[in-house]
């Protein structure tokens, strides 16, 4: 690798993959997590899949309307200058590129995350079924001290061969001990009412309005304890964390994927329309029936489904016919859900899909070209990664992106909870406020 770097003048990425005995990626992340290092975590207990990565060996940030195209070029060059070793023939082996994409393609100067952050972890642990892969990545420059890099990787190999989890203090403090910043119900419902008027005037069809609530902690916080509780509480959801090197970690348990690209196929979903759950089976079934037959919610859902299908077809995809929406029942809420599948043309990349689908009307609005420009008229917060997309892409250009909702931002002494609601012509401002409360409760319960 160093010889290649000398000859080409370009840094080389070395990736070493080894199959190891069972490891829990979240426990490994807990053991090596540092507040000032990049980190990422994805897990779905129901799918028996988990991944964790920490410390960036190389990373880049992209801004503006062309952020996906620029990231695509960066990733392509990176993977072209990659040397793999070990059990690299495994489809999930080799370097994974971590991706965090904010809701908007521009962000305020003081925002915690760039519009698109892409990086490769120094350490990766991936578990699927009964197989665990440990991956070490290193960036080799012409003047890299190879002996020092080799020793660090060998030391990690010895540790991962018989991983001894260290004692940590990753407990989740009770929210009762936090100081809450008041959230303005009047401001949010006023924004909803204004949006409803504009929808009825024909300015757009749907817009998603978000809000947040902040809590200050009396003690230092870590994202690991809440993540552990999330995966136990929301085993059917996709738990995630995406953290920067400045002490902020954006974590959550999302019910929604933006898309998955795998071997020429793309899988996504329309998820819109919500109602609460009930502990009594008959009442819960009645609530589900109300949702399935709600004209307002079916309309909101159909706007999302049509927009996703239209965007996929614009890429030349063959999209399988969609069936009527079904209920997706989660711990405290149920949604209308329609899975969507398509076959990819050979020239359509992961980054092409990402740019085309994000943001969907489920988190932004419809038409996207209009609502994206007027959103600031109805909400005042910096969404950052909320309603953005987080995920990873492998060396084959396959991967999965998750919609970053049901989420909370964690810093050393602060929590910020986010939630949004889809606004259409039949929306009631007070009911939309209640819906955001219901969605926030899922995260607040983690800190109960």
């Amino acid at each position: 690798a160093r010889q290649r770097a000398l000859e080409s003048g370009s840094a080389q990425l070395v990736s070493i993959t080894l199959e190891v005995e069972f490891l829990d990626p979240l426990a490994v992340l807990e053991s090596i997590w540092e507040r000032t290092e990049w980190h990422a975590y994805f897990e779905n207990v129901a799918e028996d899949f988990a991944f964790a990565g920490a410390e960036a060996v190389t990373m880049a940030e992209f801004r503006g309307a062309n952020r996906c195209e620029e990231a695509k070029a960066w990733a392509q060059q990176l993977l072209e200058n990659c040397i793999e070793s070990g059990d690299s023939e495994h489809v999930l082996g080799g370097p994974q590129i971590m991706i965090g994409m904010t809701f908007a393609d521009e962000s305020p100067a003081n925002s915690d995350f760039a519009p698109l952050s892409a990086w490769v972890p120094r350490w990766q642990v991936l578990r699927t079924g009964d197989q665990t892969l440990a991956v070490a990545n290193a960036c080799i420059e012409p003047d890299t001290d190879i002996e020092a890099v080799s020793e660090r990787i060998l030391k990690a190999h010895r540790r991962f061969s018989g991983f001894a989890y260290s004692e940590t203090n990753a407990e989740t403090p009770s929210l009762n001990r936090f100081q809450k910043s008041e959230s303005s119900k009047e401001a949010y419902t006023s924004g909803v009412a204004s949006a409803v008027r504009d929808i009825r005037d024909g300015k757009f069809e749907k817009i998603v309005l978000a809000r947040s609530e902040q809590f200050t902690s009396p003690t230092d916080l870590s994202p690991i304890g809440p993540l552990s509780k999330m995966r136990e509480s929301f085993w059917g959801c996709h738990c995630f964390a995406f953290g920067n090197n400045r002490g902020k970690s954006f974590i959550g348990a999302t019910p929604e994927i933006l898309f998955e690209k795998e071997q020429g196929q793309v899988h996504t979903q329309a998820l819109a329309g919500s109602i609460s759950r009930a502990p009594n089976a008959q009442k819960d079934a009645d609530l589900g029936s109300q949702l399935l037959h709600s004209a307002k919610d079916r309309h909101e859902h159909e706007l999302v489904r049509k927009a996703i299908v239209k965007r996929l077809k614009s890429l030349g995809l063959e999209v399988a016919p969609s069936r009527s929406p079904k209920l997706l029942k989660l711990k405290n809420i149920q949604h209308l859900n329609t899975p969507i599948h398509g076959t990819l043309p050979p020239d359509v990349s992961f980054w092409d899909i990402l740019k085309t689908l994000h943001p969907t009307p489920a988190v932004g609005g419809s038409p996207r070209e209009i609502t994206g420009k007027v959103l600031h008229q109805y909400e005042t917060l910096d969404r950052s990664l909320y309603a953005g997309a987080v995920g990873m892409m492998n060396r084959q250009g396959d991967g999965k992106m998750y919609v970053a909702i049901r989420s909370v931002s964690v810093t050393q002494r602060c929590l910020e909870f986010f939630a949004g609601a889809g606004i259409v012509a039949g929306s009631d401002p007070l009911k939309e406020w209640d819906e955001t409360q219901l969605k926030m409760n899922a995260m607040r319960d983690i800190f109960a």
Side-chain angles (χ1 to χ4, degrees):
R2 187 170 66 180
Q3 185 61 34
R4 281 195 192 178
L6 283 166
E7 293 171 354
S8 67
S10 298
Q12 302 292 305
L13 180 64
V14 170
S15 185
I16 304 170
T17 301
L18 292 177
E19 186 170 356
V20 297
E21 293 185 2
F22 175 88
L23 290 174
D24 177 355
L26 182 58
V28 173
L29 180 61
E30 179 178 353
S31 180
I32 66 175
W33 176 78
E34 294 183 29
R35 195 178 301 278
T36 57
E37 295 286 356
W38 286 88
H39 56 275
Y41 159 76
F42 309 102
E43 180 164 7
N44 186 301
V45 176
E47 296 177 359
D48 206 5
F49 169 84
F51 173 92
E55 301 181 28
V57 296
T58 183
M59 69 93 58
E61 297 179 339
F62 307 93
R63 302 176 183 276
N66 295 322
R67 53 182 170 166
C68 285
E69 290 90 340
E70 293 174 4
K72 176 182 177 180
W74 173 83
Q76 183 175 346
Q77 182 179 20
L78 177 74
L79 296 175
E80 285 175 352
N81 290 287
C82 179
I83 299 175
E84 295 186 53
S85 182
D87 300 323
S88 56
E89 72 281 353
H90 193 287
V91 67
L92 295 175
Q96 299 274 352
I97 297 176
M98 306 294 102
I99 303 162
M101 193 170 179
T102 61
F103 174 79
D105 56 20
E106 294 287 358
S107 57
N110 61 346
S111 186
D112 295 298
F113 293 96
L116 197 158
S117 304
W119 56 280
V120 175
R122 186 180 307 279
W123 315 115
Q124 299 171 195
V125 180
L126 186 150
R127 182 182 55 76
T128 178
D130 60 355
Q131 197 167 38
T132 303
L133 298 177
V135 180
N137 298 308
C139 189
I140 307 299
E141 304 274 2
D143 59 350
T144 295
D145 183 343
I146 291 178
E147 288 71 23
V149 173
S150 300
E151 178 57 34
R152 184 167 56 199
I153 292 175
L154 285 170
K155 182 178 179 181
H157 171 53
R158 289 190 290 269
R159 185 179 182 188
F160 278 77
S161 297
F163 200 89
Y165 302 104
S166 61
E167 290 291 329
T168 58
N169 182 22
E171 295 182 359
T172 305
S174 171
L175 207 59
N176 293 330
R177 297 167 52 202
F178 288 60
Q179 181 178 351
K180 179 183 177 182
S181 299
E182 288 301 317
S183 178
S184 174
K185 182 176 182 179
E186 181 180 357
Y188 184 78
T189 54
S190 175
V192 172
S194 178
V196 169
R197 287 193 297 270
D198 288 342
I199 291 170
R200 289 172 179 169
D201 288 342
K203 294 183 179 180
F204 44 85
E205 294 179 289
K206 172 191 174 179
I207 194 165
V208 178
L209 299 186
R211 66 181 186 89
S212 69
E213 288 184 355
Q214 294 185 356
F215 293 79
T216 303
S217 170
T219 58
D220 286 352
L221 300 169
S222 161
I224 308 297
L227 286 169
S228 184
K229 293 183 70 173
M230 282 180 192
R231 70 174 179 180
E232 297 302 321
S233 299
F234 306 109
W235 62 270
C237 290
H238 311 280
C239 295
F240 67 86
F242 194 88
N244 64 19
N245 59 352
R246 299 186 299 280
K248 172 154 285 192
S249 188
F250 198 80
I251 69 174
T254 178
E256 186 175 1
I257 64 167
L258 181 62
F259 71 91
E260 179 178 17
K261 178 181 178 291
E262 183 180 21
Q263 298 181 345
Q265 300 291 312
V266 64
H267 310 282
T268 182
Q269 64 187 130
L271 191 74
S274 311
I275 202 167
S276 62
R277 299 292 308 275
N280 175 278
Q282 287 190 346
K283 178 60 177 175
D284 193 58
D286 179 59
L287 288 171
S289 179
Q290 290 179 38
L291 180 60
L292 284 169
H293 295 92
S294 164
K296 177 259 181 187
D297 289 288
R298 290 293 289 260
H299 174 61
E300 179 186 346
H301 183 86
E302 186 62 9
L303 288 174
V304 174
R305 188 198 67 81
K306 281 185 174 180
I308 292 174
V309 170
K310 181 180 179 180
R311 292 177 194 174
L312 290 176
K313 287 185 175 180
S314 74
L315 291 172
L317 269 73
E318 298 177 17
V319 181
S322 300
R323 298 181 178 181
S324 297
K326 305 297 182 184
L327 292 175
L328 176 64
K329 290 179 177 285
L330 303 175
K331 185 176 181 180
N332 72 329
I333 196 169
Q334 46 192 320
H335 300 285
L336 294 177
N337 178 49
T338 300
I340 300 171
H341 309 285
T343 301
L344 285 165
D347 60 341
V348 175
S349 73
F350 178 97
W351 301 98
D352 297 330
I353 304 169
L354 179 55
K355 176 171 183 169
T356 301
L357 287 184
H358 176 70
T360 73
V363 295
S366 179
R368 176 169 63 176
E369 297 73 20
I370 296 175
T371 55
K373 295 177 181 178
V374 300
L375 190 62
H376 67 279
Q377 298 177 15
Y378 312 101
E379 63 174 47
T380 57
L381 77 167
D382 171 16
R383 289 191 176 192
S384 186
L385 284 179
Y386 171 72
V390 295
M392 59 188 192
M393 186 193 82
N394 64 22
R395 67 188 189 280
Q396 288 89 15
D398 288 341
K400 183 182 285 189
M401 295 296 292
Y402 306 91
V403 181
I405 55 174
R406 306 295 191 278
S407 47
V408 54
S409 171
V410 183
T411 57
Q412 188 167 359
R413 288 290 181 97
C414 183
L415 300 175
E416 185 173 11
F417 296 87
F418 294 84
I423 312 304
V424 293
S427 292
D428 179 313
L430 291 177
K431 289 183 178 179
E432 302 302 339
W433 168 269
D434 291 341
E435 181 176 323
T436 62
Q437 289 282 78
L438 182 66
K439 291 173 178 176
M440 280 189 188
N441 283 342
M443 290 296 103
R444 290 194 197 105
D445 289 347
I446 295 297
F447 297 86

